[in-house]
Amino acid sequence: MIMGGKSLKGSVSISGAKNAAVAAIPAALLTEGVCRIDNVPNIKDVDVLLDIMRHLGAKIKKIGTDALEINCEKIHSFTVPYEMTKKMRASYYFIGALLGRFNHAEVSPPGGCCFGSRPIDMHIKGFEALGAKVNIDRGIVEAHATKLESAQVFLDVVSVGATINIMLAATRVNGTTIIENAAKEPHVVDVANFLNAMGANVRGAGTDTIKIKGVEKMAGGSYTLIPDQIEAGTFMIAAAATRGDVLIKNVIPKHLESITAKLVEVNATVEEFDDSIRVSRNGPLHKANVKTMPYPGFPTDLQPQTVALLSMAKGTSIVTESVWDNRYQYVDELRRLGAQISVDGKIAVVEGVEKLSGANVKATDLRAGAGLVIAALMADGVTQMHDIYHIDRGYEGLELKLNSLGAQIVRRNSGKSLINEKGIAYV
Ligand code: EPZ
């Protein structure tokens, strides 16, 4: 239940990057030694991955509030069953990691957020280039190689998942594998840095071309994940949306440049510091056109939050979703709050309204859920939000953090306070 109309004020700290964590955890399978990963977000997707890791034979030790020690010395299964993968998309990283260490993987197709067809043909192209045979039978992806060989892979589509998955599969392959037209997202770089900290030799992550010189063994090591770019962007947008003034701590401002630029365009004030960013707004919200693009473009994972923001901007904004086919399913929910948005294929036309009013809505996926929370914070009255498990998949204590900034959000039947299970108050 979200009581709208409150300005967010204060400071909030951003957790570790979900999309780096969901790759780094399976990537630990590539090492015989112990991997310590710090700044792991406390989210449901991580819980699901850890269950899968245990199922494969990994020993997991949780240390403190946000660190994990993973020991993959004794892996006894190469099969990840559907019951375990259906909840999350990133389970595809088990294919690359198991193939890369054991030359064999059997993984059921991924679940997770559903917004149109989510093919993995680029991942398969990469595995096959490395010499694996890939069969998909009754929904199970089986990848097998007698011996993997280094290769040059050109990705026809810039894909975060394929870039990381091929990197994982190639880490221990003799020779140098080259990925061309690679994705450049911060979490791609983070996973490469993680692999290097464990003993791999990956160069060029963050550019179009990644070179992976295979190493024989990976000894383990320790690594701290970067802060979550999308969580940070969500709070930046929420601050601007609510006429707030929020210092967002533990961020890498460079990763947020496209969001900063867009928020300035809609009339917010953004101040950058070394590892924090302050967003405030006093004047009216201006319209803006937004086109989602692979990094360093505007992230698709902030598109719903941005549409929510623009729904109360003066004038008509045009939003173009150029990464996913069908990422506007939540627009019907925004309309329930009074937003005036029409969608034609990849384009949403957002006619700014003067007021939104609380209503019953449901989260249709993770980022859609965050967008609806922002709309509910802007709306007059109370919004009841359903299917919030989507939000729990990828945001650590979203309502707790928002409440610490002055929002009034109550999770029904949870009795949660401002202190989360780690004992951290989000200040
Ligand atoms: C990652 O998904 C993220 N997930 C997504 O975040 C994010 O929206 C997406 O990258 C784009 O930034 C994780 O990192 C776990 P892609 P991924 O492969 O890797 C097409 C969130 O909310 N494509 O970069 O699955 C695809 O259809 C989630 O945190 C192919 O055609 O995305 C899409 O149009 C949701 N063939 C485009 O590429 C392929 O083999 C980008 O997809 C792979 C992808």
Side-chain angles (χ1 to χ4, degrees), residues 255-268:
H255 295 165
L256 302 167
E257 278 173 350
S258 61
I259 303 128
T260 298
K262 204 45 75 182
L263 288 180
V264 169
E265 212 176 310
V266 301
N267 200 25

Side-chain angles (χ1 to χ4, degrees), residues 18-19 89 92 119-122 159-161 301 323-324 367:
K18 161 182 146 330
N19 288 342
R89 168 90 180 153
Y92 51 40
I120 58 165
D121 53 319
M122 289 300 116
S159 159
V160 170
D301 292 344
V323 176
W324 295 112
R367 308 303 174 186

